């Protein structure tokens, strides 16, 4: 006859720390508090009949306590009150309980914790759960997944008792059965190992990213199912298959982790505190991305990857590796790609991040003088000029940051510096309080000889450009003209009085009209300006020789 449980969860007595202790129901001589959440009133003879560890605890308590009724606190019980209730029902039901896929793992852990072995009672709970687990290979995919997910409540015990590995191996086998081409094993299709022990294990044959890419879809059928598992179980899964952190060199694992992290990113519960739970997974995915590199991920793909990782506290080393990959293909970027929101020193855009990318790009392409590398450099040069123009209006952008972006690229990355001049012009207009010294420092990144004639003329007339800078720009333009063309014979310059006399002698044009007179006055002024400019340029040119 089944014995009913004498405790009622809704009428649990106060904790041992309370001032009063409620009277126990009849036939109940044991009070057990689980995790300070629930109290169980039990007859100890039912418990000690099956639980070897409980028998030892009660014997020790009896020696130090003369009270007939005993109270025990257990704060590390597997599964908490839910696990203890299942064990209690087993004990009160004469060692019988319905074991299912959903409760077998927690019952197994409870049985080990309480010492419910064959030494205490024949066909005890531990033996019954072990027998049930022997049929794990016949569980369905959903049953296996459900049992693995249930381990979250008693993860430490499931891990230390070897249950997690057992379930993960079963899950792996079911994954492998559904692969037409298994990229994770070196066994041939005719090998008997295919049907007996397929796992996502790695073979001695190194699978390169290019060979994997041609055989794997971007998203495997099991991605969505595994994405429901908590992060610590995913970490255990990766450790079990030998693909955790630096050991990850597999594309399909990397793609799953990116899918998993992307799925949890919008979740409201992923804050700064909980994101640390995903840091190990982000790092593992980062090493996987590093392994496959640009062979698999485009610039935009790598950029999305970095944005995902940045939410989970990625380590500095991993960040550098991903930035190397992005920087290596910077020529594929667009202006919108580089306009990343800033979060430092009040800047609207993350300029420091772009500087790091440019430096990585130059390190990989700046030392090669082949045609392809030079074309890439010039393409990036045009992109960075546009970027400079976009960030220049930012009131918080320091001159040092502007120059750091402009000067990251070597001089030969730009055929023309008009774009840099336009960005400087925008910056000076947006920062009108700059001194001449600061403005001159800003213009120091210009190569005047690479300015177009139109840009040089605009610079010379620009009132916010320091005069010394304007003069240097004009002189650099004169260098493009042969010296023979610069030799100006002053005798050839017509004297203003001669111009007037000439017009006086020409009868057909001597009509006294106001517009003619004004025109001649303008010509006189212009001649004087040209004479002065000619002398000044001669002096400046002589200093360069």
């Amino acid at each position: 006859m089944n014995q009913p449980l004498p405790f009622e969860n809704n009428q649990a007595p106060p904790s041992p720390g309370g001032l009063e202790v409620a009277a126990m129901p009849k036939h109940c001589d044991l009070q057990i508090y689980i995790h300070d959440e629930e109290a169980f009133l039990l007859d100890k003879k039912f418990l000690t009949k099956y639980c070897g560890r409980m028998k030892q605890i009660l014997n020790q308590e009896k020696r130090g306590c003369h009270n007939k009724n005993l109270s025990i606190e257990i704060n590390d019980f597997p599964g908490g009150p839910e696990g203890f209730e299942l064990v209690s029902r087993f004990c009160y039901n004469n060692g019988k309980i319905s074991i299912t896929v959903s409760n077998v793992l927690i019952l197994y852990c409870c049985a080990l914790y309480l010492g419910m072995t064959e030494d205490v009672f024949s066909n005890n709970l531990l033996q019954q759960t072990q027998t049930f687990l022997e049929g794990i290979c016949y569980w369905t995919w959903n049953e296996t997944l459900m049992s693995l997910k249930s381990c979250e409540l008693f993860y430490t015990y499931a891990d230390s008792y070897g249950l997690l590995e057992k379930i993960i191996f079963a899950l792996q086998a079911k994954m492998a059965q559904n692969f037409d081409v298994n990229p994770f094993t070196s066994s041939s299709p005719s090998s008997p190992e295919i049907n007996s022990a397929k796992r996502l294990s790695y073979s001695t044959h190194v699978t390169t990213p290019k060979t994997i890419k041609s055989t794997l879809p971007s998203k495997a059928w099991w991605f969505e199912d595994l994405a429901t598992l908590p992060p610590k179980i995913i970490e255990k899964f990766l450790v079990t298959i030998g693909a955790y952190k630096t050991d990850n060199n597999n594309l399909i694992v990397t793609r799953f982790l990116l899918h998993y992290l992307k799925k949890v990113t919008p979740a409201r519960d992923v804050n700064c505190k909980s994101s640390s739970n995903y840091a190990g997974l982000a790092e593992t995915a980062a090493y996987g991305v590093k392994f496959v590199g640009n062979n698999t991920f485009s610039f935009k793909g790598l950029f999305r990857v970095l944005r995902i990782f940045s939410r989970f506290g990625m380590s500095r080393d991993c960040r550098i590796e991903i930035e190397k990959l992005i920087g290596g293909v910077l020529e594929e970027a667009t202006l919108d790609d580089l306009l990343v929101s800033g979060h430092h020193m009040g800047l609207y855009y993350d300029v420091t991040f772009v500087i790091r990318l440019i430096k990585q790009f130059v390190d990989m392409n700046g030392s090669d003088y082949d045609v392809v590398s030079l074309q890439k450099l010039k393409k990036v040069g045009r992109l960075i000029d546009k970027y400079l123009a976009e960030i220049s209006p930012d009131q918080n952008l320091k001159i040092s940051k502007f120059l750091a972006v402009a000067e990251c690229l070597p001089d030969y990355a730009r055929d023309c510096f008009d774009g840099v001049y336009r960005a400087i012009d925008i910056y000076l207009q947006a920062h009108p309080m700059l001194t001449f010294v600061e403005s001159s420092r800003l213009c120091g990144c210009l190569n005047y000889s690479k300015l177009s004639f139109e840009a040089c003329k605009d610079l010379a007339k620009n009132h916010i450009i320091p005069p010394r800078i304007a003069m240097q720009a004009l002189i650099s333009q004169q260098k493009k003209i042969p010296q023979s063309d610069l030799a100006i014979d002053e005798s050839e310059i017509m004297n203003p009085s001669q111009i007037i006399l000439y017009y006086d002698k020409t009868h057909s044009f001597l009509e006294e009209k106001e517009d003619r007179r004004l025109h001649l006055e303008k010509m006189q002024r212009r001649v004087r300006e040209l004479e002065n400019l000619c002398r000044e340029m001669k002096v400046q040119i002589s200093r360069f020789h």
Side-chain angles (χ1 to χ4, degrees), residues 65-188:
C65 180
H66 300 288
N67 192 350
K68 185 178 179 182
N69 297 327
L70 299 175
S71 293
I72 299 174
E73 288 184 78
I74 303 178
N75 294 318
D76 60 346
F77 195 83
E82 178 186 348
F84 190 81
E85 181 175 343
L86 288 173
V87 170
S88 301
R89 293 189 181 279
F90 174 84
C91 295
Y92 269 81
N93 197 32
N94 297 322
K96 296 178 183 178
I97 192 171
S98 176
I99 300 177
T100 63
V101 170
S102 60
N103 67 16
V104 63
L105 301 185
I106 190 172
L107 285 173
Y108 181 89
C109 292
C110 292
L112 275 175
Y113 181 88
L114 292 174
M116 302 175 74
T117 63
E118 296 303 289
D119 295 335
V120 180
F121 192 85
S122 178
N123 197 27
N124 211 339
L125 182 58
L126 182 61
Q127 178 62 46
Q128 292 185 35
T129 53
Q130 286 175 336
T131 302
F132 190 91
L133 287 171
E134 289 176 0
I136 193 172
C137 59
Y138 300 108
W139 295 3
T140 65
W141 166 263
N142 288 335
E143 287 175 338
T144 309
L145 191 68
M146 178 180 63
S147 65
L148 187 59
K149 192 183 300 184
S150 70
C151 292
E152 184 179 12
L153 295 174
F154 46 96
Y155 177 85
T156 303
Y157 292 101
D159 188 19
S160 60
Y161 294 158
L163 279 180
L164 282 176
E165 286 190 0
K166 183 184 283 291
I167 303 299
I168 288 172
F169 285 155
L171 201 67
Q172 288 174 243
K174 296 185 185 301
M175 287 181 189
Q177 289 170 4
N178 288 274
F179 274 115
D180 294 330
V181 178
N182 190 349
F184 303 97
T185 177
S186 60
S187 301
S188 63

Side-chain angles (χ1 to χ4, degrees), residues 217-441:
S218 60
K219 183 177 176 182
W221 60 269
W222 45 267
F223 277 18
E224 290 294 339
D225 290 337
L226 258 64
T228 62
L229 297 174
K232 56 186 177 182
I233 291 181
I234 296 294
E235 280 193 9
K236 182 63 180 179
F237 178 86
L238 298 174
V239 171
T240 303
I241 66 174
Y244 188 59
K245 291 194 174 180
T246 56
D247 294 329
N248 179 27
N249 56 5
N250 193 278
L251 179 58
I252 196 166
V253 171
T254 302
R255 281 178 172 166
F256 164 70
L257 289 175
L258 293 175
H259 172 79
Y260 182 82
L261 294 172
K262 185 178 179 181
K263 191 166 184 176
V264 301
T265 295
R268 293 182 179 180
D269 60 339
V270 180
N271 49 38
C272 294
K273 185 176 180 180
S274 64
S275 64
S276 60
N277 299 328
Y278 298 88
L281 300 181
E283 190 170 344
T284 303
Y287 280 112
V289 171
K290 175 191 172 185
F291 174 74
V292 298
N294 300 328
N295 293 319
T296 302
F297 294 94
S298 64
F299 177 87
K300 292 185 181 296
L302 289 169
F303 220 90
R304 285 193 294 268
V305 164
L306 185 61
R307 285 177 177 173
I308 293 173
F309 292 163
S310 62
R311 291 178 172 267
F312 300 101
M314 178 171 52
S315 69
R316 181 176 178 274
D317 291 342
C318 285
R319 177 182 57 77
I320 290 174
E321 292 299 329
I322 299 299
E323 287 181 359
K324 279 183 181 179
L325 293 174
I326 297 175
V329 289
L330 192 59
E331 73 278 1
E332 298 179 14
T334 63
L335 180 58
D336 289 338
D337 293 329
L338 300 185
L339 297 178
V340 181
S341 299
H343 50 78
H344 180 64
M345 301 293 289
L347 290 174
Y348 191 75
Y349 296 117
D350 192 348
V351 179
T352 305
F353 168 65
V354 174
I355 291 173
R356 292 199 302 268
L357 293 185
I358 299 172
K359 288 181 177 179
Q360 295 289 1
F361 174 79
V362 173
D363 287 344
M364 295 181 183
N365 297 277
S367 59
D368 296 329
Y369 296 98
D370 59 276
V371 176
V372 175
S373 296
L374 192 59
Q375 287 177 346
K376 289 181 180 179
L377 276 167
K378 291 182 177 181
K379 186 176 181 181
V380 172
R382 292 190 292 270
L383 173 65
I384 298 307
D385 290 351
K386 293 177 184 177
Y387 179 74
L388 281 170
E390 191 70 29
I391 65 174
S392 292
D394 192 339
Q395 293 295 316
N396 294 315
L397 182 67
K398 303 296 182 186
I399 293 177
S400 57
K401 282 290 184 185
F402 182 99
L403 292 175
V405 176
E407 296 174 348
C408 273
L409 290 170
D411 186 78
Y412 55 84
R414 294 182 176 97
D415 290 327
C416 180
F417 270 70
D418 287 10
V420 180
Y421 166 65
R422 280 191 289 271
I424 290 175
D425 188 32
I426 295 170
Y427 187 93
L428 291 173
Q429 293 181 46
H431 301 78
M433 303 306 292
L434 292 181
T435 65
F436 267 18
V437 173
E438 290 173 324
S439 299
S440 299
R441 180 186 169 205

Side-chain angles (χ1 to χ4, degrees), residues 5 70 134 179 242 302 490 499 522-523 530:
L5 286 174
L70 299 175
E134 289 176 0
F179 274 115
L302 289 169
E490 292 188 18
I499 299 174
K522 289 180 181 179
M523 288 179 65
L530 287 171

